Amino acid sequence: MKSIVVVEDDLAVLDVITMMLQKVGYQVNVFSNGLDILENRFAIPDLFIIDKQLSGVDGLDICGYLKVRSDTAYIPIIVISASPNVAILARHMGADDFIEKPFERQQLLNCVSKHLKD
Amino acid sequence: VAKKKTVSDSAEEISNEIEQIQENAAARGIKTFPVVGIGASAGGVEAVTELIENIPVDIGMSFVIIQHLSPKHESVLPEILQKRTSMKVHSVTDGIHIEINNVYVIPPNTYMSIVDGKLTLSSREPVKGIHHSIDYFFTALASLYQNNGIGIVLSGIGSDGTVGLQAIKSEGGITFTQDSSAIYNGMPDSASSSGFVDFILSPEEIAKELSRLVTMPYIIIPPEKVIADNESELRKVHVLLHNKRGVDFLNYKQTTINRRILRRVALNKQKDLKEYVKYLMTNAAEIDLLYQDLLINVTTFFREPTQYDVLNRKIFPALLKGRKPTDAIRIWIPACATGEEACSFAIALFEYLGDDAMTTPIQIFATDLSEMAIEKARAGIYNKNSLVNVSPQRLKRFFVKIDGHYQIIKAIRDVCIFATHNLLKDPPFSRMDIISCQNVMIYLEPKPQKKILNAFHYALKQSGYLMLGKSETIGSATELFEQINKEHKIYTKKLVSTNLHFDFHSNLSPRYSMPQNDEISIPTPVKQDTEPDIEKETDRVLLSRYVPASVVVNKDLQIIRFQGATANYLQPASGKASLHLLKMVRDELVFELRTLIHRVKKEGSAAQKENIHLTDNGNARTIHIEVVPVKPSSKDLYYLILFKEGITSQEIEQHKPANTRRTRDAKDRRIVVLEQELREAREHMKAMSEEFEATREELQSANEEVLSSNEELQSINEELETSKEELQSSNEELTTINEELQLRNDDLKESVAYTEAIVHTIREPLVVINSDMRVRTANRAFYSMFKCAADEVEGHHFFDVCNRQFDIAKLKDHINDSISKNVGFHDVEISSVFPYTGEKIYLFSAARMVHEDKRKSRLLLSIEDITQRKRSEETLRESEERFRLLVQNSSDILSVLTEDGTIQYISESLERILGYTAAERIGQNIFESPIVHPDDINLKRKMLQDCKESPQETISVEFRLRHKDGTYKTFEAACVNLLDNDKIHGIVANYRDITTRKVLENQKEEFIAVASHELKTPVTSIKGYMELLIDAMADSKDKQSSELVTKIDKQVDRLTNLVKDLLDVTSINEGGLILKKEKFVPDALVKEIAEQISPTASKHELVLELASPAIILADRGRVGQVLSNLISNAIKYSPAGGKIIISTQLDSKNICFYVRDFGIGLSSDVQEKIFEPFFRAGNRDSATFPGLGLGLYIAVEIVKWHGGKISVKSKKGEGAEFCFSLPLDNK
């Protein structure tokens, strides 16, 4: 079973993503604060889903952090944001994909499965 | 006789000749058009004016006016004339060129002449009497212009112009005088009585005649050409002349004669020569006129002065040498014209003879063909012009002044015998000492020349002299004459016998006979006339050959006619020349003749005396004299005196031896008788001589008295004459001045009327005040404004009138000041409450009307009511102030720029908004000293450029301007091109400070961005939950709930899209639409989008027409967004359903996407606006078509960001087709 770490400060969105992913059989570990990641309080998953706009640490900073850590650098990261302009910034910071809010379930699942296949 | 030429030959020659003439004329600077000289004096201004105003502008002549003008006054004649004609009128300056259709007026106190097409002026010396400036000019005109010269003499006193017209006519020009319409008839009458005037008409008729003449061939075609074309017609004229007048003009030089004939054609308004011949045949008077014209010959006294020197030095001394005091000097002047030459000879002879003149018998026979000329010669009155060569001494001695002319003294007239005589036809005179025949030969053909020379040879005494004109010779007659003076053509008679046959009665020679086939026949009356002529001629021939020598005398014993060879019986007595019988007859016969005539007179029947003894050179002979009374009419009584030759002394000698005795007896008887007779005669003589002596003494003393009184009278007369002329000339000048004054007076009247009309109609009240403050006049405006009548005002004190309303201290001061200092004042403003008119503000102005007498000076006061104006000005000022304040306090800056960006005006609000004073910026150039942000300067340039290029549009631009404190503020500028506006002449720019608005807008956009971002998050979770719920519901059996959930999901989608659009717009406004370009196949995208939308549009059929396998580089998602927006719109705006056609097409550079629907369509005004943000089609009905109206705006922006274009084609009710293109080579 593949494990996915989701970092999202909006609890409702976090809840929905969790439900969607769990329903198709992924193991989901959720964080509502980026600090937990930076302080290494997480188990290394198969995929990260990180919201850009987090309270406290910015999602893109986390993305950058993960991509320089040798143990997490190879793990695909999907950045989600309400702003479509974030897409390019996200790629700069090493994100593997970008999903604009609001998204449909299928869109999310397609994206996740695409990165987990490899 | 000139050899006959063929017509074509001579035509060619003539045309060459014409060219030659024109070239010569051109070379001398003469244009070939007629020049009309107009002479006028007193009363002439009116006549000249009338003449000139009736001349068409383009008549084709030019006019030169010679008006006698006062030397002391500037003439206004040119101005007067200019008012009445469109031709240009010049006051002549020296050397001015004569141009066609122009009028030239002589300036005062000058003589004008014409030389080489130029008018020249010379100042004239003051002389007593009248200046003959008209004659002076006309003479010059005549010699230069010849047949193109026209002379007109209009009203005036005196005789100026007469000589001038003579000169013009004799050179072939045409002459006019004014008829009885002339105010003063002196000049026209003098001219017309000279016989040199062709037309006597009123000025208006003259103008008409001139317009007609200018079209006549005589004026426009050189005569030489006409002559060549009309030879046969000319011959007919000659025949007619010969028949009527007996003169054959074919003997004369044809060029001169023909030119004069053609002139008559023009004068008689005949179309051509043919018409003229017809006219001649029916009009005998015209033949006479033509005849007179042909005989024109102008001579002057002492024409060749040097010739008279030769006479004095050589000829006269030769003549007088060996002459008996009683022998007459006999001189013959053939073709004497009006007698000038004859008189010149007489004067020369008188001078030569000195005191002997009175006792030397002189006979000067002066003959001419023209009766008119002879009549004039007999009168012996000449004008000044022909006296140019007469020295003042001669003038004084030999002339008497009469009516401004000069008459030759009686002594001279007495020795000159004038008679008509045809040189070619009538027998010549005889025993002449001198024959002077000048300028006759040149008019004659060679054959008649020879004939005349023969006659002269006969007429001269053996020692006689022949004098010819300067350019004449005796030709081939060298056997008759010998030249003794080459220069002056003086010849002596050669002693040869000539078998002279006087063929002086020749009829028409064959060459003048009429062509047989000619349709014109000589009218019968002319023929009948010739019959008696022949009879008469025959009689004359017979008489001259067979009748004894005889003379006819009238009852006063003046010889009227000589017949036959009377020379043997007559011998002119010395002393005064006389044709008195008893003075002409030989002394021996006087007594017998007197007795005989006395007897015949008494008895009334013929009587004769036989055997009167005469001794000639020692040869005695006897003659018989018979006196027969002749009574041709009851009134007249003549005596024919016949001289019959008796026997000569030789005959007596011959008879002597035979009859000596008988003769002796007879002789004795005869002696007794004779002695008796002698005694009686002696007694008779003695008584008579005593009686005669007594009478003579009485007469002598009476004569003495008469002579002295005559001399006195003469000198008085001369003085009177001079004064008269002086008076006349001043009178002329006065009349001219008077006429000019009259015209000026008319002008003045006109301007007075004009001024009065202005004064009366002008709206400003005017009042004229005398220096005693009394009102003289006022205009209507005054009376109506101040509600008073003329009689209440005029003559009253100004401050008293109109209820003393002008009695205002300030006005009083000004008026008094003005009168005392003699100056006007201007615009004195006085406001007061006036009766009737209420509170008013008046402007008073005053002008002094200066009079020579200071007390009579007046003051013109004008009153202007400026109440209304003042109020308007006040209102205007207030309104200006209001606008100024508005602009000053406006939150906008208003400026006017020139085309190159210099500030012409900038509102004072500038200082408040940007810290600069208006004065600081006005005159600055916005580019040379900019306050615009350096990054924005090109925006501003573009603004100005756009504004200049599209004058109708308002151009709006945003840029930043620097505050004086260095900070930048954002402005929105709107500018309008008013360069063509008369009042502005510039580009009006309005700057509005939008810094605050900009901040607010930014905040708003930020807010929208945040808000939409924040909205998206809950939408995401709602959407997620929804999907999860649909999953959950799908398994349940609660269908209704399941449908409801699906509906909620759709609404969530809509909400999602709206939020997305808002976010897009925000991005666009921030300039931040970011494209994620990738390569893709557009057709695949179209299919994908159609498939996505298709399920939501159950009523519509999406038809795809795809033909493009191309691959483009673009933002796939964004292009899809555009496509789905267009398709959604197509569905939305075709509510009735139907086809929606989506197609792609490729061209060389672009791929085009088309979305076509068949729905409600768009009106054309809407089409322009649909691409703007927040616009929604359908106006008020738009409720039926939901949406924020951002979709198309976003689509447009996406296409633009890709470098493509979007457009729409539509008609209301017929659907719409949207099209957007994307470039293929987009990298």
Side-chain angles (χ1 to χ4, degrees), chain B residues 670-693:
Chain B
R670 177 82 182 134
I671 287 168
V672 176
V673 172
L674 281 176
E675 277 172 353
Q676 180 62 31
E677 267 180 30
L678 194 62
R679 258 196 310 279
E680 284 169 20
R682 279 204 181 129
E683 273 163 31
H684 184 66
M685 271 271 276
K686 202 181 169 194
M688 273 182 68
S689 102
E690 275 165 13
E691 209 176 299
F692 174 72
E693 201 59 37

mmCIF file of all heavy atoms in Angstrom, chain B residues 670-693:
data_model
loop_
_atom_site.group_PDB
_atom_site.id
_atom_site.type_symbol
_atom_site.label_atom_id
_atom_site.label_comp_id
_atom_site.label_asym_id
_atom_site.label_seq_id
_atom_site.Cartn_x
_atom_site.Cartn_y
_atom_site.Cartn_z
ATOM 1 N N ARG B 670 -7.166 164.000 -144.899
ATOM 2 C CA ARG B 670 -7.109 163.263 -143.631
ATOM 3 C C ARG B 670 -6.425 164.083 -142.559
ATOM 4 O O ARG B 670 -6.908 164.140 -141.430
ATOM 5 C CB ARG B 670 -6.317 161.960 -143.877
ATOM 6 C CG ARG B 670 -6.099 161.114 -142.649
ATOM 7 C CD ARG B 670 -7.335 160.281 -142.370
ATOM 8 N NE ARG B 670 -7.127 159.510 -141.163
ATOM 9 C CZ ARG B 670 -8.008 159.420 -140.224
ATOM 10 N NH1 ARG B 670 -9.194 160.022 -140.355
ATOM 11 N NH2 ARG B 670 -7.781 158.681 -139.187
ATOM 12 N N ILE B 671 -5.379 164.786 -142.953
ATOM 13 C CA ILE B 671 -4.640 165.602 -141.995
ATOM 14 C C ILE B 671 -5.528 166.689 -141.435
ATOM 15 O O ILE B 671 -5.556 166.932 -140.234
ATOM 16 C CB ILE B 671 -3.379 166.209 -142.655
ATOM 17 C CG1 ILE B 671 -2.360 165.078 -142.852
ATOM 18 C CG2 ILE B 671 -2.762 167.323 -141.807
ATOM 19 C CD1 ILE B 671 -1.209 165.477 -143.738
ATOM 20 N N VAL B 672 -6.285 167.316 -142.302
ATOM 21 C CA VAL B 672 -7.184 168.384 -141.845
ATOM 22 C C VAL B 672 -8.161 167.835 -140.817
ATOM 23 O O VAL B 672 -8.338 168.401 -139.752
ATOM 24 C CB VAL B 672 -7.943 168.995 -143.054
ATOM 25 C CG1 VAL B 672 -8.951 170.026 -142.576
ATOM 26 C CG2 VAL B 672 -6.978 169.657 -144.006
ATOM 27 N N VAL B 673 -8.698 166.704 -141.209
ATOM 28 C CA VAL B 673 -9.681 166.086 -140.280
ATOM 29 C C VAL B 673 -9.013 165.774 -138.948
ATOM 30 O O VAL B 673 -9.527 166.088 -137.874
ATOM 31 C CB VAL B 673 -10.263 164.792 -140.904
ATOM 32 C CG1 VAL B 673 -11.118 164.064 -139.888
ATOM 33 C CG2 VAL B 673 -11.071 165.128 -142.123
ATOM 34 N N LEU B 674 -7.854 165.225 -139.060
ATOM 35 C CA LEU B 674 -7.159 164.793 -137.853
ATOM 36 C C LEU B 674 -6.784 165.982 -136.982
ATOM 37 O O LEU B 674 -6.908 165.938 -135.771
ATOM 38 C CB LEU B 674 -5.893 164.022 -138.216
ATOM 39 C CG LEU B 674 -6.108 162.561 -138.629
ATOM 40 C CD1 LEU B 674 -4.788 161.947 -139.052
ATOM 41 C CD2 LEU B 674 -6.706 161.751 -137.493
ATOM 42 N N GLU B 675 -6.327 167.069 -137.653
ATOM 43 C CA GLU B 675 -5.950 168.233 -136.883
ATOM 44 C C GLU B 675 -7.134 168.791 -136.145
ATOM 45 O O GLU B 675 -7.030 169.167 -134.975
ATOM 46 C CB GLU B 675 -5.360 169.299 -137.810
ATOM 47 C CG GLU B 675 -3.887 169.037 -138.074
ATOM 48 C CD GLU B 675 -3.320 169.969 -139.142
ATOM 49 O OE1 GLU B 675 -4.102 170.712 -139.768
ATOM 50 O OE2 GLU B 675 -2.093 169.941 -139.329
ATOM 51 N N GLN B 676 -8.246 168.764 -136.833
ATOM 52 C CA GLN B 676 -9.481 169.213 -136.200
ATOM 53 C C GLN B 676 -9.793 168.358 -134.970
ATOM 54 O O GLN B 676 -10.022 168.848 -133.877
ATOM 55 C CB GLN B 676 -10.638 169.117 -137.228
ATOM 56 C CG GLN B 676 -11.990 169.572 -136.691
ATOM 57 C CD GLN B 676 -11.999 171.029 -136.285
ATOM 58 O OE1 GLN B 676 -11.273 171.883 -136.866
ATOM 59 N NE2 GLN B 676 -12.764 171.399 -135.277
ATOM 60 N N GLU B 677 -9.697 167.091 -135.218
ATOM 61 C CA GLU B 677 -9.995 166.121 -134.128
ATOM 62 C C GLU B 677 -9.032 166.321 -132.972
ATOM 63 O O GLU B 677 -9.424 166.312 -131.814
ATOM 64 C CB GLU B 677 -9.867 164.676 -134.636
ATOM 65 C CG GLU B 677 -11.174 164.106 -135.132
ATOM 66 C CD GLU B 677 -11.019 162.681 -135.634
ATOM 67 O OE1 GLU B 677 -10.123 161.964 -135.110
ATOM 68 O OE2 GLU B 677 -11.781 162.296 -136.542
ATOM 69 N N LEU B 678 -7.766 166.528 -133.334
ATOM 70 C CA LEU B 678 -6.738 166.693 -132.322
ATOM 71 C C LEU B 678 -7.014 167.916 -131.461
ATOM 72 O O LEU B 678 -6.878 167.856 -130.232
ATOM 73 C CB LEU B 678 -5.381 166.825 -133.019
ATOM 74 C CG LEU B 678 -4.161 166.683 -132.107
ATOM 75 C CD1 LEU B 678 -4.119 165.301 -131.472
ATOM 76 C CD2 LEU B 678 -2.894 166.935 -132.903
ATOM 77 N N ARG B 679 -7.402 168.977 -132.142
ATOM 78 C CA ARG B 679 -7.725 170.189 -131.372
ATOM 79 C C ARG B 679 -8.841 169.922 -130.371
ATOM 80 O O ARG B 679 -8.740 170.250 -129.207
ATOM 81 C CB ARG B 679 -8.128 171.317 -132.352
ATOM 82 C CG ARG B 679 -7.003 172.335 -132.593
ATOM 83 C CD ARG B 679 -7.583 173.609 -133.221
ATOM 84 N NE ARG B 679 -8.433 173.383 -134.356
ATOM 85 C CZ ARG B 679 -7.999 173.155 -135.609
ATOM 86 N NH1 ARG B 679 -6.710 173.071 -135.859
ATOM 87 N NH2 ARG B 679 -8.844 173.005 -136.608
ATOM 88 N N GLU B 680 -9.860 169.321 -130.932
ATOM 89 C CA GLU B 680 -11.015 169.022 -130.037
ATOM 90 C C GLU B 680 -10.568 168.167 -128.852
ATOM 91 O O GLU B 680 -10.894 168.425 -127.703
ATOM 92 C CB GLU B 680 -12.087 168.249 -130.822
ATOM 93 C CG GLU B 680 -12.889 169.107 -131.757
ATOM 94 C CD GLU B 680 -13.743 168.263 -132.701
ATOM 95 O OE1 GLU B 680 -13.982 167.054 -132.344
ATOM 96 O OE2 GLU B 680 -14.145 168.759 -133.753
ATOM 97 N N ALA B 681 -9.795 167.206 -129.207
ATOM 98 C CA ALA B 681 -9.358 166.246 -128.172
ATOM 99 C C ALA B 681 -8.503 166.930 -127.133
ATOM 100 O O ALA B 681 -8.629 166.684 -125.938
ATOM 101 C CB ALA B 681 -8.570 165.124 -128.830
ATOM 102 N N ARG B 682 -7.634 167.841 -127.609
ATOM 103 C CA ARG B 682 -6.758 168.527 -126.682
ATOM 104 C C ARG B 682 -7.563 169.352 -125.713
ATOM 105 O O ARG B 682 -7.312 169.322 -124.494
ATOM 106 C CB ARG B 682 -5.776 169.407 -127.453
ATOM 107 C CG ARG B 682 -4.623 168.561 -127.967
ATOM 108 C CD ARG B 682 -3.421 169.410 -128.189
ATOM 109 N NE ARG B 682 -2.351 168.576 -128.706
ATOM 110 C CZ ARG B 682 -1.664 168.871 -129.798
ATOM 111 N NH1 ARG B 682 -1.929 169.974 -130.472
ATOM 112 N NH2 ARG B 682 -0.693 168.072 -130.185
ATOM 113 N N GLU B 683 -8.548 170.017 -126.231
ATOM 114 C CA GLU B 683 -9.379 170.833 -125.349
ATOM 115 C C GLU B 683 -10.105 169.969 -124.345
ATOM 116 O O GLU B 683 -10.150 170.241 -123.159
ATOM 117 C CB GLU B 683 -10.398 171.637 -126.183
ATOM 118 C CG GLU B 683 -9.830 172.955 -126.655
ATOM 119 C CD GLU B 683 -10.644 173.548 -127.784
ATOM 120 O OE1 GLU B 683 -11.869 173.319 -127.815
ATOM 121 O OE2 GLU B 683 -10.050 174.227 -128.652
ATOM 122 N N HIS B 684 -10.641 168.926 -124.899
ATOM 123 C CA HIS B 684 -11.364 167.972 -124.044
ATOM 124 C C HIS B 684 -10.440 167.459 -122.956
ATOM 125 O O HIS B 684 -10.775 167.427 -121.775
ATOM 126 C CB HIS B 684 -11.845 166.812 -124.934
ATOM 127 C CG HIS B 684 -12.682 165.793 -124.207
ATOM 128 N ND1 HIS B 684 -13.925 166.107 -123.691
ATOM 129 C CD2 HIS B 684 -12.448 164.494 -123.944
ATOM 130 C CE1 HIS B 684 -14.408 165.037 -123.121
ATOM 131 N NE2 HIS B 684 -13.528 164.022 -123.272
ATOM 132 N N MET B 685 -9.252 167.102 -123.363
ATOM 133 C CA MET B 685 -8.263 166.564 -122.450
ATOM 134 C C MET B 685 -7.919 167.574 -121.379
ATOM 135 O O MET B 685 -7.814 167.236 -120.206
ATOM 136 C CB MET B 685 -6.968 166.247 -123.221
ATOM 137 C CG MET B 685 -6.919 164.864 -123.792
ATOM 138 S SD MET B 685 -6.244 163.707 -122.649
ATOM 139 C CE MET B 685 -4.503 163.961 -122.971
ATOM 140 N N LYS B 686 -7.716 168.816 -121.806
ATOM 141 C CA LYS B 686 -7.308 169.844 -120.880
ATOM 142 C C LYS B 686 -8.358 170.025 -119.791
ATOM 143 O O LYS B 686 -8.040 170.018 -118.598
ATOM 144 C CB LYS B 686 -7.078 171.156 -121.644
ATOM 145 C CG LYS B 686 -6.183 172.118 -120.906
ATOM 146 C CD LYS B 686 -6.039 173.396 -121.723
ATOM 147 C CE LYS B 686 -5.385 174.488 -120.909
ATOM 148 N NZ LYS B 686 -5.539 175.800 -121.580
ATOM 149 N N ALA B 687 -9.595 170.100 -120.260
ATOM 150 C CA ALA B 687 -10.690 170.281 -119.283
ATOM 151 C C ALA B 687 -10.730 169.100 -118.325
ATOM 152 O O ALA B 687 -10.794 169.257 -117.112
ATOM 153 C CB ALA B 687 -12.015 170.405 -120.031
ATOM 154 N N MET B 688 -10.627 167.965 -118.928
ATOM 155 C CA MET B 688 -10.715 166.764 -118.101
ATOM 156 C C MET B 688 -9.548 166.676 -117.138
ATOM 157 O O MET B 688 -9.703 166.304 -115.988
ATOM 158 C CB MET B 688 -10.715 165.521 -118.992
ATOM 159 C CG MET B 688 -12.115 165.180 -119.430
ATOM 160 S SD MET B 688 -12.166 163.719 -120.423
ATOM 161 C CE MET B 688 -11.756 162.496 -119.281
ATOM 162 N N SER B 689 -8.382 167.046 -117.619
ATOM 163 C CA SER B 689 -7.239 166.893 -116.759
ATOM 164 C C SER B 689 -7.277 167.888 -115.619
ATOM 165 O O SER B 689 -6.887 167.565 -114.508
ATOM 166 C CB SER B 689 -6.018 166.920 -117.617
ATOM 167 O OG SER B 689 -5.261 167.659 -117.841
ATOM 168 N N GLU B 690 -7.801 169.083 -115.883
ATOM 169 C CA GLU B 690 -7.934 170.043 -114.788
ATOM 170 C C GLU B 690 -8.902 169.524 -113.731
ATOM 171 O O GLU B 690 -8.641 169.579 -112.543
ATOM 172 C CB GLU B 690 -8.428 171.392 -115.349
ATOM 173 C CG GLU B 690 -7.281 172.246 -115.855
ATOM 174 C CD GLU B 690 -7.766 173.397 -116.740
ATOM 175 O OE1 GLU B 690 -8.983 173.674 -116.747
ATOM 176 O OE2 GLU B 690 -6.928 174.029 -117.413
ATOM 177 N N GLU B 691 -9.994 169.021 -114.274
ATOM 178 C CA GLU B 691 -11.033 168.476 -113.376
ATOM 179 C C GLU B 691 -10.436 167.332 -112.542
ATOM 180 O O GLU B 691 -10.595 167.249 -111.331
ATOM 181 C CB GLU B 691 -12.171 167.928 -114.238
ATOM 182 C CG GLU B 691 -13.534 167.988 -113.568
ATOM 183 C CD GLU B 691 -14.560 167.508 -114.576
ATOM 184 O OE1 GLU B 691 -14.694 168.149 -115.650
ATOM 185 O OE2 GLU B 691 -15.194 166.469 -114.282
ATOM 186 N N PHE B 692 -9.703 166.502 -113.287
ATOM 187 C CA PHE B 692 -9.111 165.323 -112.671
ATOM 188 C C PHE B 692 -8.119 165.717 -111.579
ATOM 189 O O PHE B 692 -8.102 165.167 -110.494
ATOM 190 C CB PHE B 692 -8.401 164.520 -113.769
ATOM 191 C CG PHE B 692 -7.624 163.340 -113.263
ATOM 192 C CD1 PHE B 692 -8.292 162.226 -112.793
ATOM 193 C CD2 PHE B 692 -6.233 163.343 -113.259
ATOM 194 C CE1 PHE B 692 -7.588 161.143 -112.344
ATOM 195 C CE2 PHE B 692 -5.534 162.257 -112.793
ATOM 196 C CZ PHE B 692 -6.222 161.156 -112.344
ATOM 197 N N GLU B 693 -7.334 166.732 -111.877
ATOM 198 C CA GLU B 693 -6.320 167.187 -110.933
ATOM 199 C C GLU B 693 -6.969 167.639 -109.631
ATOM 200 O O GLU B 693 -6.525 167.278 -108.538
ATOM 201 C CB GLU B 693 -5.540 168.336 -111.598
ATOM 202 C CG GLU B 693 -4.174 168.581 -110.988
ATOM 203 C CD GLU B 693 -3.291 167.371 -111.050
ATOM 204 O OE1 GLU B 693 -3.337 166.621 -112.062
ATOM 205 O OE2 GLU B 693 -2.552 167.129 -110.074
#
